[in-house]
Amino acid sequence: MTPAPGLAPVEKPAEPVDAALRLLAEVQAMDPAACWAWAVATMPELAEHREARPPSEGWAEFSRLAAGRTTLWVRARGDRCFAVRGAWENDGFQGRAREVAEIAGDTKVVRFESVDIGESGISSSGPHGDEFLRDARGRWQKAGGFGLGSFATLADAPIFEVAKKAAYYGEVPYTLTIE
């Protein structure tokens, strides 16, 4: 008797592979630079966006580029630029802007705004002022000062970009994810 032919093993159908899931897994496995290059190649309109670096890196670069400078220029909200004369201190650049001197006889009054330029933004306060009197030799000697409580925030966000001669504050951070 010849053995009955056995049934051939039946192969189970493969699980349907979702091409989108496979592509997503491939993209998620890429390093960030390759992932961004793929995203821009897939959607060219993403080229106008850029990857943000940590704000502290932008501030460190700006501080390095502007180190030793005693005058920085600020332009806020489309206004004209104004000079801020001052010095670098521990946490930023502090200076005076829009300084105006008035002399009447032996009295000189210098009015100014205080401007603080730091890692998280730019603010101004004032007006402030110093009063000077002439001494017997005709030199100006500080006799007092004053300040008003006005405060304005010119940039309320960290640096998002640093160029050779400028730092830009206030860009809106957001996240793009590939799904």
Side-chain angles (χ1 to χ4, degrees):
M1 199 164 167
T2 58
L7 295 174
V10 177
E11 291 186 26
K12 290 184 177 178
E15 292 290 322
V17 177
D18 187 359
L21 289 175
R22 187 175 61 241
L23 178 61
L24 179 60
E26 289 174 15
V27 170
Q28 288 175 336
M30 294 178 184
D31 66 78
C35 183
W36 183 250
W38 173 85
V40 171
T42 305
M43 296 177 64
E45 57 271 21
L46 291 175
E48 69 186 55
H49 301 270
R50 61 183 163 268
E51 186 176 356
R53 59 184 172 179
S56 58
E57 286 182 19
W59 176 250
E61 183 179 354
F62 173 67
S63 299
R64 180 183 58 76
L65 289 172
R69 296 188 186 269
T70 58
T71 301
L72 298 179
W73 291 84
V74 173
R75 182 173 62 205
R77 298 183 188 102
D79 294 338
R80 293 179 59 175
C81 290
F82 62 90
V84 179
R85 290 175 181 79
W88 287 92
E89 297 189 10
N90 295 340
D91 57 347
F93 186 87
Q94 281 77 42
R96 294 178 169 193
R98 299 181 174 114
E99 213 166 350
V100 176
E102 298 172 349
I103 299 174
D106 287 340
T107 303
K108 176 170 76 170
V109 175
V110 179
R111 290 181 176 76
F112 59 91
E113 291 179 32
S114 289
V115 178
D116 293 324
I117 301 171
E119 181 175 355
S120 62
I122 303 172
S123 61
S124 69
S125 64
H128 303 287
D130 293 323
E131 186 174 349
F132 299 87
L133 299 174
R134 284 195 195 271
D135 65 11
R137 298 168 112 182
R139 295 177 298 184
W140 294 113
Q141 300 295 322
K142 188 171 179 180
F146 62 89
L148 300 178
S150 175
F151 179 85
T153 300
L154 304 178
D156 192 18
I159 290 175
F160 74 91
E161 183 178 344
V162 177
K164 185 175 181 180
K165 293 189 174 194
Y168 301 93
Y169 284 81
E171 196 65 9
V172 177
Y174 58 90
T175 301
L176 297 175
T177 57
I178 299 169
E179 297 183 6

